[in-house]
Amino acid sequence: ATDITERRRVEEALRESEERYRAIFEQAADSILLVDAENGELVEFNSRAHENLGYTREEFKKLKIPDIEVVESADEVAQHVKKMAREGGDIFETKHRTKDGEIRDILVSTRVISIGGKGFALAIWRDVTERRRLEQEAREAERLRSIRDLAGGVAHNFNNILTGIRGYAHFVRKALEEVNAPLEDIEKLFECTERASHLSAYLYAWAKPTVAPLQVVTLDSIVGALVAKCRLALPANIELVANIAAPDTHLKGSLDSLLKALSNICDNAVEAMPEGGTLTISADTVRRNGAEREAEFAEIVIADSGKGIPEEVLPKIFDAFFSTKGTVGVGLSLTLTHRIVEDHGGTIEVRSTPGQGTTFRVFLPTVQPEGGA
């Protein structure tokens, strides 16, 4: 008989140790891989590694690092390999391609280790795609704030200069009237200053947006004012069709700001129909998902039968200073519209077919009137 108590104790301790490290290995938040340093084959990896890239364990076992790595050049790979060989490891960022072709940003930490006298690379991958996206958004937001501050200052000073130009132009016109001289050129100067004044106003409104004190208003008052304004301004070759299906619906907002936002959409619609067409304005209520739950929204639809917006242009129409009108447009009207709607807790959806027209749908949250149920 042989006493194997000690051997059993050691075996149990080894089993517990292996289970402990296997649990740590499998439950780690990052992808962990052990790669053969000679042939680049995956020797071992945790579930996170293949799940994050969309592969099954069996599919992932057949891959090598070059199958998932997205690099600019072979020199980039060689640089990391040399650093690992020289320093025993490296930390770098790269890109990986998932099974369905999506490119993900990856932070990689590698170490060269020896197991049983053989060299391996231990790699820990962390997906930083979302972090990089948020960082990019933060940089863009900061850049936009800087541009707005600059634009606000330029608009303010530009308006001061315009005031002086208009003042001196009045003196010139008065002098010309006294000698019965032609006034065509000076009137053109006034037209130019008026256009410049509108540009300055748009620029300042975009840079320093202000929403008037919010009050409860009806859908009818908003869309009714918009329709009345359009009837006065529309060219004779454009037909206006209006329909308000839920006139007593209440919203909380600034009538002036919302009217400005919707008027900008109508102005763009008119410009899209130089040969004439139909401008349709309708309003109703819909149920849709809000910030926390499904809620009732007022839906204001503005549609034209114009030339439409090209597919490649459509995603850019709310971008600041984006314009398809050359030197005529300033590219701020729809940007301002988008911001006003967002300030009112609403959203805008746009659909367009080249040659058939464009439809804007503005959704604004409804409220119960004072004393309502």
Side-chain angles (χ1 to χ4, degrees):
T2 303
D3 187 347
I4 60 173
T5 304
E6 182 61 21
R7 188 175 73 184
R8 288 285 186 266
R9 189 189 66 78
V10 172
E11 289 175 349
E12 182 65 20
L14 287 173
R15 186 184 63 79
E16 291 179 356
S17 177
E18 181 180 353
E19 288 181 355
R20 182 166 55 251
Y21 282 100
R22 172 59 60 178
I24 295 173
F25 183 73
E26 284 296 335
Q27 297 302 319
D30 297 326
S31 302
I32 304 176
L33 303 95
L34 191 64
V35 183
D36 191 313
E38 294 181 1
N39 55 30
E41 292 182 352
L42 300 177
V43 178
E44 188 59 88
F45 49 87
N46 63 357
S47 299
R48 184 78 63 175
H50 65 84
E51 290 173 355
N52 281 357
L53 294 177
Y55 291 98
T56 65
R57 187 172 184 85
E58 291 304 315
E59 290 173 333
F60 202 65
K61 284 173 65 175
K62 300 175 184 178
L63 301 178
K64 293 186 178 182
I65 296 300
D67 295 326
I68 56 179
E69 190 96 11
V70 180
V71 294
E72 296 295 330
S73 67
D75 292 339
E76 189 176 337
V77 177
Q79 180 181 352
H80 294 309
V81 171
K82 289 178 181 178
K83 188 171 182 179
M84 285 180 60
R86 182 175 65 253
E87 303 177 6
D90 191 14
I91 298 177
F92 58 94
E93 284 196 31
T94 185
K95 294 182 183 296
H96 285 172
R97 182 181 288 105
T98 65
K99 182 181 178 180
D100 60 7
E102 182 184 0
I103 304 301
R104 308 292 294 179
D105 294 314
I106 305 294
L107 178 64
V108 183
S109 174
T110 59
R111 297 293 297 175
V112 176
I113 62 175
S114 178
I115 301 176
K118 186 174 181 179
F120 295 89
L122 177 65
I124 300 177
W125 297 345
R126 174 166 295 180
D127 191 323
V128 294
T129 306
E130 184 64 15
R131 183 198 302 177
R132 294 293 172 262
R133 184 187 67 80
L134 293 175
E135 290 173 351
Q136 179 63 26
E137 287 182 356
R139 286 193 293 270
E140 287 297 319
E142 182 60 34
R143 183 179 69 87
L144 194 56
R145 278 194 294 270
S146 299
I147 293 175
R148 281 182 174 143
D149 289 342
L150 176 62
V154 170
H156 179 75
N157 288 286
F158 183 53
N159 203 51
N160 289 339
I161 296 172
L162 280 177
T163 300
I165 293 174
R166 281 195 294 263
Y168 284 111
H170 277 292
F171 292 144
V172 173
R173 181 167 62 181
K174 185 176 181 180
L176 292 175
E177 288 174 344
E178 290 177 352
V179 296
N180 294 321
L183 300 177
E184 288 81 1
D185 290 341
I186 198 67
E187 294 299 339
K188 288 293 183 182
L189 175 59
F190 276 108
E191 290 179 13
C192 290
T193 57
E194 187 66 22
R195 288 172 54 192
S197 180
H198 285 306
L199 167 66
S200 178
Y202 266 119
L203 192 61
Y204 194 79
W206 175 76
K208 306 288 184 182
T210 56
V211 176
L214 304 184
Q215 57 186 352
V216 176
V217 295
T218 63
L219 183 59
D220 179 61
S221 64
I222 297 171
V223 181
L226 177 66
V227 171
K229 184 177 180 181
C230 288
R231 290 194 191 282
L232 292 174
L234 283 180
N237 61 353
I238 294 180
E239 178 187 3
L240 177 62
V241 178
N243 178 41
I244 306 175
D248 294 330
T249 299
H250 290 77
L251 313 171
K252 190 172 184 179
S254 163
L255 180 59
D256 290 341
S257 296
L258 288 173
L259 182 59
K260 179 63 176 176
L262 297 172
S263 296
N264 288 340
I265 298 176
C266 291
D267 291 343
N268 278 269
V270 171
E271 291 172 359
M273 299 184 287
E275 305 300 323
T278 302
L279 175 65
T280 303
I281 301 174
S282 61
D284 203 344
T285 57
V286 295
R287 301 289 299 183
R288 59 190 275 121
N289 292 329
E292 300 178 354
R293 56 184 172 80
E294 186 181 77
E296 183 182 72
F297 284 78
E299 179 188 29
I300 302 171
V301 181
I302 301 174
D304 66 67
S305 59
K307 55 188 178 183
I309 303 173
E311 184 178 355
E312 66 276 9
V313 172
L314 197 59
K316 306 176 184 177
I317 61 172
F318 295 117
D319 291 352
F321 304 110
F322 177 79
S323 175
T324 59
K325 306 170 190 174
T327 58
V328 177
V330 298
L332 287 174
S333 63
L334 289 181
T335 305
L336 186 59
T337 291
H338 191 271
R339 191 161 186 184
I340 290 172
V341 171
E342 281 193 336
D343 286 343
H344 284 77
T347 57
I348 304 179
E349 295 178 0
V350 187
R351 291 184 180 179
S352 185
T353 302
Q356 298 183 26
T358 302
T359 299
F360 283 78
R361 282 184 164 82
V362 178
F363 298 94
L364 298 168
T366 64
V367 297
Q368 290 292 335
E370 293 184 7

